């Protein structure tokens, strides 16, 4: 069974790979920089240097695959929606031309809207292209990653503030990417599911930013408060960081979608709930970083 994994060094892929190895599978790993993979992994996998932005390279690297885990990697395209859609087109082409039976796609909540969710719209377009292949496809509609807090380390250290454009009492699913990796590996190894499916991956609980700040205060041993900021303030910060207007609106649009409170297509259930709490993740990953930075 040939299983192809994209972004094997990412937060999700780096969990999927060892699980497949432990299951006795020798996966094929598509990596822009194979040297970033641990040596022990490179010895036990077929590693292909591949830029997912190169459609021909993706088709060659996935030849003979029975299953594919596809992640649209971060894009620096002027229009992130178009950038993600181009990546998705390469995935769909590979599925069609290579007859890949099953694809697990790392999507997101909001992709079901197809429009109006900022850069997530690019994931929605990828879903549509994969669906059009006629192959068996699973779209994982994931919640907000715990690892997004890694971008806030300096602000947490210096200011003790967690900023958001969401209302502070707005609850949403928070999930550990490693738990997503567990779901991905299980689905890649299974050959029983068919058709076009979606599945939420929601973590153990929906949390507001006020609750997140309380959890971080307890875990980090230092006060953390949540602070609401307006969309225009975010725009100015992103503009100052050098982002273009479509990139900026791609980020802001995600916040607009979240706070508009659209009905969830994949409600919380035993299938969508995963175990790792934000507190346990923060203790293992965030606390050491803040301790190291003083």
């Amino acid at each position: 069974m040939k299983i192809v994994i994209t972004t094997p060094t990412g937060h999700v892929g780096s969990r999927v790979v060892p699980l497949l190895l432990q299951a006795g599978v020798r996966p094929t790993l598509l990596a822009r920089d194979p040297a970033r993979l641990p040596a022990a992994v490179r010895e036990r996998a077929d590693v292909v240097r591949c830029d997912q932005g190169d459609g021909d390279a993706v088709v060659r690297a996935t030849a003979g695959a029975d299953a594919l885990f596809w992640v649209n990697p971060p894009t620096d395209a002027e229009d992130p929606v178009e950038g993600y859609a181009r990546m998705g087109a390469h995935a769909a082409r590979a599925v069609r031309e290579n007859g890949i039976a099953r694809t697990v796609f790392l999507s997101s909540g909001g992709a079901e809207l197809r429009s109006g969710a900022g850069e997530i719209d690019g994931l929605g377009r990828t879903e549509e292209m994969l669906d059009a292949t006629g192959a068996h496809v699973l779209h994982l509609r994931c919640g907000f990653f715990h690892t997004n807090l890694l971008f806030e380390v300096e602000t947490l250290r210096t200011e003790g503030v967690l900023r958001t454009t969401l209302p502070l009492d707005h609850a949403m699913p928070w999930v550990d990417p490693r738990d997503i990796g567990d779901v991905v590996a299980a689905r890649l190894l299974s050959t029983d599911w068919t058709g076009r499916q979606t599945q939420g991956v929601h973590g153990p609980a929906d949390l507001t930013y006020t609750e997140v700040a309380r959890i971080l205060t307890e875990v980090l041993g230092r006060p953390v408060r949540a602070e609401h900021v307006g969309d225009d303030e975010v725009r100015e910060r992103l503009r100052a960081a050098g982002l273009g207007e479509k990139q900026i609106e791609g980020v802001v649009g995600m916040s607009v979608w979240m706070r508009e409170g659209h009905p969830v297509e994949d409600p919380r259930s035993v299938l969508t709930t995963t175990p790792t709490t934000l507190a346990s993740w923060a203790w293992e990953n965030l606390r050491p970083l803040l301790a190291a930075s003083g």
Side-chain angles (χ1 to χ4, degrees):
M1 184 178 187
K2 180 175 179 178
I3 299 178
V4 176
I5 306 299
T6 62
T7 63
T9 60
H11 290 301
V12 178
S14 61
R15 173 63 172 170
V16 175
V17 171
L19 290 175
L20 294 182
L21 294 176
Q22 290 165 358
V25 172
R26 184 180 179 90
T28 298
L29 310 181
L30 275 54
R32 291 185 64 179
D33 182 6
R36 292 183 59 199
L37 290 162
V41 169
R42 295 198 302 270
E43 293 172 0
R44 294 169 173 82
D46 296 319
V47 181
V48 180
R49 185 183 297 274
C50 180
D51 183 342
Q52 289 174 246
D54 183 340
D56 292 338
V58 170
V59 171
R60 289 193 300 271
T62 56
D66 301 292
L68 168 67
F69 174 47
W70 183 265
V71 182
N72 283 339
T75 177
D76 58 1
E78 181 179 343
D79 183 342
V81 173
E82 291 296 330
Y84 285 133
R86 283 195 296 272
M87 296 286 185
H90 298 331
R93 177 187 165 195
V95 170
R96 285 195 309 272
E97 295 188 15
N98 292 326
I100 301 173
R102 287 176 177 79
T103 298
V104 176
F105 172 51
L106 186 68
S107 189
S108 170
E112 68 274 10
L113 298 178
R114 303 303 193 227
S115 179
E119 63 183 52
I120 292 173
D121 293 348
L123 304 183
R125 289 171 63 178
T126 298
E127 287 191 12
E128 291 180 316
M129 288 184 281
L130 288 171
D131 291 345
T133 66
H136 308 310
V137 178
L138 171 67
H139 306 300
L140 294 181
R141 302 271 178 75
C142 303
F144 195 75
F145 285 14
H146 292 170
T147 49
N148 288 332
L149 290 173
L150 296 175
F151 296 109
E152 310 298 331
V153 168
E154 184 62 19
T155 302
L156 289 171
R157 184 185 68 81
T158 59
E159 302 179 47
V161 174
L162 195 59
R163 294 187 174 91
T164 177
T165 58
L166 298 176
L168 300 185
D169 61 353
H170 177 87
M172 63 181 181
W174 286 68
V175 62
D176 185 347
R178 287 173 57 85
D179 289 350
I180 300 172
D182 292 350
V183 177
V184 171
R187 286 300 198 124
L188 290 172
L189 291 167
S190 172
T191 58
D192 292 336
W193 58 275
T194 59
R196 186 262 187 192
Q197 299 185 17
T198 66
Q199 181 173 334
V201 191
H202 294 156
D206 292 359
L207 300 171
T208 68
Y209 263 84
T210 298
E211 291 170 327
V212 169
R214 175 184 55 77
I215 291 168
L216 295 184
T217 295
E218 295 174 356
V219 170
L220 302 178
R222 62 177 73 195
V224 175
R225 62 182 175 86
E227 179 181 290
H228 178 266
V229 296
D231 291 344
D232 287 342
E233 182 175 342
V234 171
R235 288 186 176 98
E236 287 305 314
R237 289 180 180 178
L238 296 176
R239 199 170 286 121
L243 273 67
E245 292 305 310
K246 289 186 177 180
Q247 294 171 322
I248 291 170
E249 293 309 312
V251 174
V252 173
M254 290 189 289
S255 295
V256 172
W257 154 68
M258 284 188 282
R259 65 176 180 250
E260 284 183 348
H262 294 280
V264 177
E265 186 175 40
D266 300 283
R268 183 173 293 281
S269 70
V270 67
L271 296 180
T272 71
T273 298
T274 51
T276 305
T277 65
L278 178 61
S280 63
W281 176 87
W283 181 273
E284 181 179 354
N285 296 277
L286 204 55
R287 184 182 175 95
L289 288 176
L290 286 167
S293 65

